Amino acid sequence: MFLLHHGRSVGRLFSQFLQDKNSEFYTRRSKYPHTFPDGRVLPAYIYHIDALPMFIRFINEDWIPNHAQRYFKDKDSLALNYLPKLLGK
């Protein structure tokens, strides 16, 4: 069963993270048509629920320290106030 969903920005980076780690989940993903709130439909990957620990690792070790500030600056500037806490600063 495939249950793990994520945003497109995070998704591209997570896919690369899995590929770089030679994870079995990179090849076990499936494509589906994702509908965004504005009505756009784009192809996206969905991963097996067992990939969740790898996704959490990716978020904590890569995405938050390296990409969160740039992402939230445009999407949700209030979230920037919480980044130092997440980064242990």
Side-chain angles (χ1 to χ4, degrees), residues 35-54:
T35 304
F36 287 86
D38 65 5
R40 291 176 298 136
V41 178
L42 296 172
Y45 286 108
I46 190 167
Y47 296 88
H48 194 278
I49 191 67
D50 291 344
L52 183 58
M54 285 293 285

Side-chain angles (χ1 to χ4, degrees), residues 14-28:
F14 179 57
S15 179
Q16 186 63 52
F17 178 84
L18 292 176
Q19 188 175 27
D20 292 347
K21 301 289 184 195
N22 294 318
S23 172
E24 67 179 285
F25 297 114
Y26 180 76
T27 57
R28 291 177 58 193

Side-chain angles (χ1 to χ4, degrees), residues 4 14 17 51-62 64:
L4 181 59
F14 179 57
F17 178 84
L52 183 58
M54 285 293 285
F55 182 71
I56 293 169
R57 180 179 170 197
F58 160 73
I59 291 295
N60 288 326
E61 295 178 6
D62 186 319
I64 290 173

Side-chain angles (χ1 to χ4, degrees), residues 2-19:
F2 293 89
L3 297 172
L4 181 59
H5 301 264
H6 49 75
R8 189 167 172 87
S9 171
V10 173
R12 288 181 179 165
L13 294 167
F14 179 57
S15 179
Q16 186 63 52
F17 178 84
L18 292 176
Q19 188 175 27

